[in-house]
Amino acid sequence: REASAWTLVEPMRWAANYFAVNRILNQLQFLEEEAFFHVDEVGKTGQTLEDYGLADPVLTLRVSGASGQLELQRGTVTEIGNNVYLLGPEKERIFVVNREVVDSLLIGLRELRKREIFDIPVFEVEALSLRIRAGGGNGDLKVRLARNAGRWVFESPVSAEADPALVTNAINTLTAAKVAAFKESAVPAPHGLDAPSMRVTLEGNQRRQTLLIGNPDATGEGAPTYFAKLEGNPSVFTVDARPFDELREAQEALRERNFFQFDPDTLNTIVLSNDGNQIRLQKLETGEWQVLQSNGATGDIQPFRADSEVMAALIEDLRTLRASGFAVD
């Protein structure tokens, strides 16, 4: 237990499935004896612990805490009834307990491992950084987005506004990403993790996590996957390739493409200027619009009633005006 979370430390270091661990602990609390006898009595009957499967138990369970350590060992199935032998904590008594309850403690490594990769919650993420290896000796592409006064902005490779909805979706996808499969005895080098093609970093409340993306897994079936690992953790696994392929275009795909952000209902003034001439569109209290045009030479202002259909089309055009691409930064 680390703080309020559980972590697997052997045979690999990885976040444990909180619910699977708690299920084991809950089952232990409800473990009841059907009967028991003392270990000393075994020898008197001409038997040994081996006869009960306790000389080389199939399961040893050790629970440690501030008050000490408790160890239980599971033996063979009893000849009568659906029970098993269990060697007690002090190794002084052998208990007969319900087999189903004990067998429910035999959770495999697959069930004990947490499948989520990042453990920084979405609401806590303050920055997303990408380092993408470029081909042809062009150097790595570094992309960083950060939350600034409630807005998402690019800090590199260019200083620009980011689309908040698209950034939020990208972060949601990352925090929801799961391990496709663990590689039990993987060596980093053959999987491209010694020089990863991408580094994905989430930063939260005084903590950060970096995921390294390596080579495609050519042995996998179904959807394409990449080899991956968390920085500072030797465990190698595979992840779905799609969300990480999409991030390779993040510097353009996540850019804010709208030129204006405004609420059409609260809009009250539009100013158009060209070669010293200015046209001012003003919304009246009646909800209608008027045109105030000034003459650059004389400074005279002439009011006109605006065409409501033309104004509605202009406002919609301004609201939906978007960049189709980015030619020069």
Side-chain angles (χ1 to χ4, degrees):
R1 189 194 295 272
E2 297 179 350
S4 60
W6 285 96
T7 302
L8 271 164
V9 293
E10 289 182 13
M12 63 185 302
R13 185 167 184 84
W14 189 258
N17 183 331
Y18 177 86
F19 300 102
V21 176
N22 271 9
R23 194 179 83 185
I24 294 175
L25 296 176
N26 287 335
Q27 290 292 78
L28 281 174
Q29 287 181 311
F30 290 104
L31 190 61
E32 294 182 352
E33 64 186 58
E34 301 288 336
F36 76 89
F37 51 93
H38 289 274
V39 172
D40 294 343
E41 298 174 15
V42 174
K44 296 177 182 179
T45 60
Q47 294 179 307
T48 65
L49 288 179
E50 188 174 355
D51 295 309
Y52 298 93
L54 294 171
D56 184 19
V58 296
L59 168 69
T60 298
L61 184 68
R62 190 176 297 112
V63 182
S64 303
S67 58
Q69 180 173 285
L70 178 149
E71 183 175 287
L72 299 174
Q73 294 180 337
R74 179 209 190 269
T76 56
V77 180
T78 59
E79 295 181 1
I80 302 175
N82 191 30
N83 299 317
V84 294
Y85 295 110
L86 202 68
L87 186 60
E90 304 299 330
K91 293 184 170 51
E92 295 178 350
R93 291 187 290 180
I94 297 174
F95 295 91
V96 178
V97 297
N98 186 281
R99 178 182 178 180
E100 291 183 359
V101 176
V102 176
D103 285 352
S104 68
L105 304 176
L106 293 167
I107 298 177
L109 189 60
R110 180 181 178 86
E111 289 75 24
L112 280 171
R113 287 182 296 211
K114 186 178 179 181
R115 302 198 70 81
E116 288 78 12
I117 300 169
F118 293 100
D119 61 11
I120 301 178
V122 176
F123 64 86
E124 192 180 305
V125 176
E126 293 294 333
L128 165 62
S129 299
L130 306 170
R131 184 171 178 173
I132 304 169
R133 193 177 65 209
N138 296 324
D140 293 347
L141 172 64
K142 298 179 181 179
V143 179
R144 178 177 167 83
L145 296 107
R147 199 194 300 269
N148 186 351
R151 300 179 301 118
W152 282 100
V153 296
F154 278 90
E155 295 183 343
S156 65
V158 62
S159 178
E161 291 281 340
D163 186 312
L166 294 179
V167 174
T168 299
N169 286 340
I171 293 173
N172 281 335
T173 300
L174 287 174
T175 55
K178 291 182 171 57
V179 172
F182 284 94
K183 301 301 175 183
E184 305 300 343
S185 58
V187 179
H191 300 91
L193 294 169
D194 52 338
S197 63
M198 180 186 293
R199 299 169 63 94
V200 182
T201 301
L202 291 181
E203 299 178 34
N205 183 19
Q206 297 183 345
R207 57 176 172 157
R208 56 185 289 161
Q209 285 183 298
T210 298
L211 178 67
L212 310 182
I213 302 296
N215 297 333
D217 180 11
T219 63
E221 297 180 359
T225 58
Y226 288 121
F227 290 110
K229 68 186 289 289
L230 284 171
E231 189 172 57
N233 188 315
S235 301
V236 176
F237 48 89
T238 57
V239 292
D240 181 14
R242 180 187 54 80
F244 299 98
D245 286 340
E246 293 175 353
L247 283 177
R248 296 184 190 278
E249 305 299 327
Q251 73 276 13
E252 183 169 327
L254 300 183
R255 288 275 288 272
E256 176 61 81
R257 292 173 179 262
N258 290 319
F259 290 101
F260 300 104
Q261 288 88 33
F262 62 87
D263 181 358
D265 294 332
T266 60
L267 182 67
N268 55 40
T269 305
I270 301 175
V271 178
L272 309 174
S273 302
N274 183 39
D275 292 337
N277 295 320
Q278 186 180 89
I279 297 177
R280 186 180 182 89
L281 306 173
Q282 190 76 43
K283 190 175 185 178
L284 303 175
E285 292 182 359
T286 60
E288 296 182 337
W289 285 83
Q290 69 173 1
V291 184
L292 303 174
Q293 183 174 6
S294 64
N295 187 301
T298 65
D300 296 337
I301 298 177
Q302 294 179 294
F304 301 93
R305 180 181 177 184
D307 185 301
S308 59
E309 291 186 2
V310 174
M311 283 302 305
L314 172 61
I315 292 171
E316 182 62 14
D317 284 345
L318 292 176
R319 189 185 68 82
T320 59
L321 185 63
R322 290 171 58 83
S324 58
F326 300 93
V328 179
D329 286 325

